């Protein structure tokens, strides 16, 4: 079932225990990020309010006793967008309470999908589908998802990923 932005936002705030994302795209082209991406490119200092809305969502979840995390897939060389995420996005998300890990697949082959998804409460799957240019195509709540497969992918990703602070970008 395709979800609109409001329906998907309800999943991001309405889960009971855990929300986990598998993040695979080399770059994302989101309208709301273009200005900050330009500022990052020009070497400006990250604004204090960068990604504040997401940080509020994460802090609210953590305060309510919920878990939220992701595994970010990368391959060398890192894309410009991944470097931007690592510099401006991920550190603030972690500070807000999100558990973010990095999975470097440069020289590794694992049985994992090539698309993004969220797993909510180990029982609801939402696939995020992107166009080749990194723009969001749609958000698809999987009906009758093979939960064992998604859980296996999550376990595989977590077993091979490292906490963001331990990832060596050099």
């Amino acid at each position: 079932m395709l979800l609109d932005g409001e329906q998907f936002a309800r999943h991001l705030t309405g889960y009971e225990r855990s929300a986990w994302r598998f993040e695979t795209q080399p770059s994302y082209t989101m309208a709301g990020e273009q200005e900050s991406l330009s500022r990052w490119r020009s070497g400006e200092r990250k604004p204090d309010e960068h990604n504040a809305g997401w940080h509020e969502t994460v802090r609210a979840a953590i305060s309510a006793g919920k878990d939220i995390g992701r595994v970010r897939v990368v391959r060398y060389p890192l894309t410009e967008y991944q470097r931007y995420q690592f510099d401006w996005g991920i550190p603030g998300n972690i500070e807000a309470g999100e558990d973010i890990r990095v999975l470097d697949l440069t020289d590794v082959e694992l049985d994992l999908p090539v698309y993004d998804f969220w797993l909510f409460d180990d029982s609801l799957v939402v696939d995020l589908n992107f166009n080749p240019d990194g723009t969001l195509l749609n958000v698809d709540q999987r009906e009758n998802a093979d939960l064992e497969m998604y859980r296996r992918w999550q376990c595989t990703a977590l077993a091979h990923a490292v906490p963001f602070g331990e990832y060596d970008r050099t």
Side-chain angles (χ1 to χ4, degrees):
M1 166 175 64
L2 295 183
L3 302 177
D4 63 26
E6 188 175 303
Q7 291 168 315
F8 180 55
R10 282 197 296 270
H11 286 307
L12 289 172
T13 58
Y15 65 93
E16 293 180 22
R17 296 175 314 284
S18 64
W20 185 81
R21 181 174 178 179
F22 187 62
E23 191 172 53
T24 65
Q25 302 304 303
S27 64
Y28 297 92
T29 306
M30 311 302 245
E33 287 186 327
Q34 296 312 300
E35 181 182 336
S36 63
L37 182 57
S38 280
R39 294 174 76 178
W40 172 82
R41 278 185 192 121
S42 67
E44 292 183 33
R45 184 182 154 278
K46 179 175 75 171
D48 292 338
E49 72 280 357
H50 179 75
N51 216 14
W54 180 247
H55 298 161
E56 289 175 26
T57 298
V58 170
R59 281 193 288 273
I62 299 303
S63 293
K66 301 175 185 182
D67 293 326
I68 187 165
R70 75 180 73 200
V71 166
R72 177 60 167 115
V73 171
V74 298
R75 288 181 177 81
Y76 270 93
L78 296 180
T79 65
E80 177 186 62
Y81 185 86
Q82 289 167 338
R83 292 190 316 272
Y84 159 72
Q85 269 189 320
F86 281 33
D87 291 345
W88 277 30
I90 293 175
N93 295 358
I94 291 171
E95 188 177 305
E98 188 176 357
D99 176 20
I100 300 179
R101 298 168 184 268
V102 179
L103 176 58
D104 189 339
L105 293 179
T106 303
D107 297 318
V108 179
E109 286 289 328
L110 297 174
D111 179 24
L112 292 168
V114 295
Y115 57 88
D116 291 30
F117 67 87
W118 279 93
L119 179 59
F120 296 100
D121 295 325
D122 291 323
S123 62
L124 176 75
V125 174
V126 176
D127 289 341
L128 305 176
N129 300 303
F130 291 87
N131 292 306
D133 68 354
T135 56
L136 184 64
L137 176 63
N138 62 45
V139 177
D140 184 11
Q141 180 177 322
R142 300 293 301 228
E143 297 183 36
N144 302 311
D146 182 346
L147 290 172
E148 285 304 312
M149 179 178 63
Y150 281 90
R151 290 178 190 138
R152 186 174 61 249
W153 286 338
Q154 180 187 30
C155 286
T156 298
L158 288 169
H160 292 89
V162 298
F164 177 76
E166 296 175 18
Y167 182 67
D168 181 11
R169 292 193 274 169
T170 57

